[in-house]
Amino acid sequence: MKITKIFSDVNGESHFEDLEIPLVDQGEIGFLSEGIDVKKLQFRKVPADYDYDFHCAPQKQYIVLLDGGVVIETSLGEKRVFETGEILLVEDISGKGHKTKNTEKKERTSLFIHI
């Protein structure tokens, strides 16, 4: 399963990294990853005009886009578009952070999973 990590380097610059989470065939119940310990789960809605300037993640967390897409820009200017159903691992809790903007003028729903 593909996810995208956002992290800060030693100079505080934010970057994207593509990760592959291995899944193991468990027969009739499907394919499962190894378990990941989590601290908290939060649901989030943002307004249609959401356009958040540079910020760091408040904690290391997975973000699952439930409804709506985002454009994320790193501190070095690289931009990627993420759509409904995609998963991000944000770890840039220090440094210059990243920008986040809705791809459409509609309310967006996400799931935050703190790790």
Side-chain angles (χ1 to χ4, degrees):
M1 174 176 291
K2 179 187 166 263
I3 66 169
T4 302
K5 180 169 85 169
I6 302 169
F7 68 97
S8 296
D9 65 21
V10 296
N11 296 319
E13 301 290 354
S14 58
H15 302 270
F16 293 114
E17 180 180 356
D18 295 323
L19 300 177
E20 187 69 32
I21 304 297
L23 302 177
V24 177
D25 188 349
Q26 299 294 313
E28 292 181 17
I29 64 167
F31 291 78
L32 297 174
S33 71
E34 291 291 324
I36 299 169
D37 291 330
V38 300
K39 296 179 181 177
K40 187 189 301 187
L41 180 127
Q42 287 182 299
F43 294 93
R44 177 185 190 205
K45 282 192 180 281
V46 297
D49 62 350
Y50 187 80
D51 185 359
Y52 197 25
D53 204 4
F54 281 105
H55 63 284
C56 292
Q59 64 273 318
K60 291 182 182 182
Q61 62 189 5
Y62 288 97
I63 299 175
V64 182
L65 300 174
L66 298 175
D67 181 21
V70 294
V71 177
I72 297 180
E73 181 178 345
T74 67
S75 61
L76 296 173
E78 183 181 359
K79 293 180 182 179
R80 289 194 188 181
V81 176
F82 300 94
E83 300 295 341
T84 298
E86 292 195 75
I87 302 168
L88 304 167
L89 171 58
V90 291
E91 295 187 340
D92 62 335
I93 58 174
S94 64
K96 298 178 182 178
H98 60 277
K99 289 183 181 182
T100 307
K101 182 178 182 176
N102 283 357
T103 57
E104 300 177 76
K105 292 289 184 190
K106 69 175 201 173
E107 186 177 74
R108 180 172 49 85
T109 307
S110 303
L111 176 66
F112 289 179
I113 305 167
H114 304 195
I115 54 175

